[in-house]
């Protein structure tokens, strides 16, 4: 029995073979050949890119003695949206109404205003702006004059639109995780191309089970994939299989 147990020692050839096979299966579960799995892109557009705002912007307007303050900012998920609300809302205000959009996900809140007169107009203004990963909180300090349903819709939607119109924007491109097996003699060529195409999070794993071969993984902008593949193939002058996630 002891002989059977010792054969599974962490230093035994059989154990090493199993370990390498396990690592390879892990790669295959994370990265599959580009010819078999479609590229994963952002949810905002089919092109895998979206436009958002660079920083927080505030816009203030007084309407019939009520003060409306719209604060917009970039967010990335529901958690960051909750943090944004906590940071910018004023508990002393009459209302802190808000809405956000993250890809296909969106939420809005009237915070005590008549249903549909605050959160929805804010969200509608966000959608109309064409921006994504954005949240707007509109704080209202009541001035004593009621605006009516139509007046509230125009007020909340209007200050949101103005706030977003004044915000500096930026285009964000989705990143795609890629990988490839590279022989040691080609690492210099491959790294030069990866740097030229501004690849990020480049890592290497030498335990591929193949002699003088390493697995290189990285992230690159979705619209640079084909050009990067062509450049590497051309400069390496041999067949290389690329993997995408």
């Amino acid at each position: 029995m002891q002989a059977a147990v010792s054969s599974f020692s962490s230093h035994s050839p059989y154990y090493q073979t199993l370990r390498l096979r396990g690592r390879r299966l892990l790669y295959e579960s994370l990265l599959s050949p580009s010819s078999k799995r479609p590229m994963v892109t952002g949810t905002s557009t089919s092109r895998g890119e979206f436009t958002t705002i660079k920083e927080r912007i505030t816009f203030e307007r007084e309407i019939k003695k009520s003060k409306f303050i719209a604060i917009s900012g970039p967010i990335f998920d529901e958690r960051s949206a909750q943090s944004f609300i906590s940071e910018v809302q004023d508990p002393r205000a009459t209302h802190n109404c808000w809405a956000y959009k993250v890809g296909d996900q969106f939420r809005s809140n009237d915070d005590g205003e008549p249903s549909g007169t605050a959160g929805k107009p804010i969200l509608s203004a966000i959608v109309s702006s064409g921006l994504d990963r954005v949240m707007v909180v509109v704080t209202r300090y009541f001035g004593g004059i009621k605006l009516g349903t139509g007046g509230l819709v125009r007020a909340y939607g209007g200050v949101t639109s103005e706030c977003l119109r004044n915000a500096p924007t930026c285009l964000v491109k989705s990143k795609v995780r890629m990988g490839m097996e590279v022989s040691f003699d080609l690492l210099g060529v491959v790294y030069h191309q990866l740097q030229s195409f501004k690849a990020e999070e480049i890592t290497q794993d030498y335990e591929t089970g193949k002699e003088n071969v390493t697995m290189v993984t990285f992230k690159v902008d979705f619209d640079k994939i084909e050009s990067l593949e062509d450049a590497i193939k051309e400069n390496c002058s041999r067949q290389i299989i690329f993997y995408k996630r």
Side-chain angles (χ1 to χ4, degrees):
M1 291 295 292
Q2 290 183 353
V5 173
S6 62
S7 66
F8 287 91
S9 167
S10 60
H11 300 289
S12 69
Y14 182 66
Y15 178 87
Q16 294 296 329
T17 300
L18 288 177
R19 187 163 64 88
L20 291 173
R21 184 178 298 173
R23 296 179 74 90
R24 193 163 187 78
L25 288 173
L26 176 61
Y27 283 131
E28 292 175 356
S29 67
L30 295 176
L31 302 166
S32 60
S34 56
S35 60
K36 295 182 179 180
R37 179 179 292 186
M39 181 179 68
V40 177
T41 59
T43 57
S44 299
T45 69
S46 59
R47 297 175 297 170
E49 61 186 30
F50 61 91
T51 301
T52 189
I53 60 179
K54 293 182 179 180
E55 57 193 24
R56 291 185 185 181
I57 295 295
T58 300
F59 178 81
E60 181 178 331
R61 172 177 288 174
E62 184 174 310
I63 303 175
K64 292 186 178 180
K65 296 187 178 182
S66 281
K67 182 186 293 185
F68 291 84
I69 302 176
I71 304 176
S72 62
I75 61 169
F76 304 98
D77 51 27
E78 185 174 359
R79 178 178 296 181
S80 60
Q82 293 299 326
S83 297
F84 186 85
I85 298 172
S86 299
E87 292 174 12
V88 305
Q89 69 179 349
D90 185 353
R92 300 169 299 176
T94 313
H95 305 281
N96 290 281
C97 307
W98 52 265
Y100 69 78
K101 180 179 182 297
V102 178
D104 297 328
Q105 299 180 357
F106 53 86
R107 287 187 61 189
S108 63
N109 190 299
D110 293 314
D111 192 36
E113 292 282 29
S115 179
T117 62
K120 287 186 177 180
I122 296 172
L123 179 60
S124 178
I126 294 174
V127 173
S128 297
S129 72
L131 299 172
D132 197 5
R133 273 70 166 179
V134 169
M135 181 168 201
V136 179
V137 177
V138 180
T139 298
R140 181 192 183 189
Y141 300 89
F142 183 58
I145 299 177
K146 294 184 177 181
L147 301 183
T149 300
L152 289 173
V153 170
R154 289 189 294 271
Y156 281 101
V159 295
T160 300
S161 296
E162 287 296 326
C163 185
L164 295 176
R165 190 176 296 120
N166 295 327
T169 62
C170 61
L171 180 67
V172 179
K173 298 181 180 181
S174 298
K175 303 285 184 180
V176 176
R177 167 72 62 182
M178 296 185 66
M180 56 185 170
E181 290 184 345
V182 182
S183 59
F184 291 175
D185 62 309
L186 294 178
L187 279 175
V189 176
V190 169
Y191 266 78
H192 176 72
Q193 295 301 325
L194 292 179
Q195 292 169 358
S196 297
F197 284 86
K198 298 181 179 179
E200 301 176 358
E201 299 181 22
I202 304 173
T203 61
Q204 282 183 233
D205 190 340
Y206 291 94
E207 298 185 19
T208 60
K210 298 181 179 181
E211 187 175 359
N212 297 324
V213 172
T214 180
M215 172 66 79
V216 178
T217 59
F218 55 91
K219 281 186 176 180
V220 68
D221 290 341
F222 79 99
D223 58 349
K224 295 180 180 179
I225 292 176
E226 291 186 7
S227 298
L228 173 60
E229 290 182 354
D230 291 341
I232 291 177
K233 290 177 181 178
E234 180 179 351
N235 285 276
C236 291
S237 66
R238 70 184 68 171
Q239 185 178 9
I240 294 180
I241 298 177
F242 294 90
Y243 301 86
K244 295 188 186 78
R245 191 172 92 174

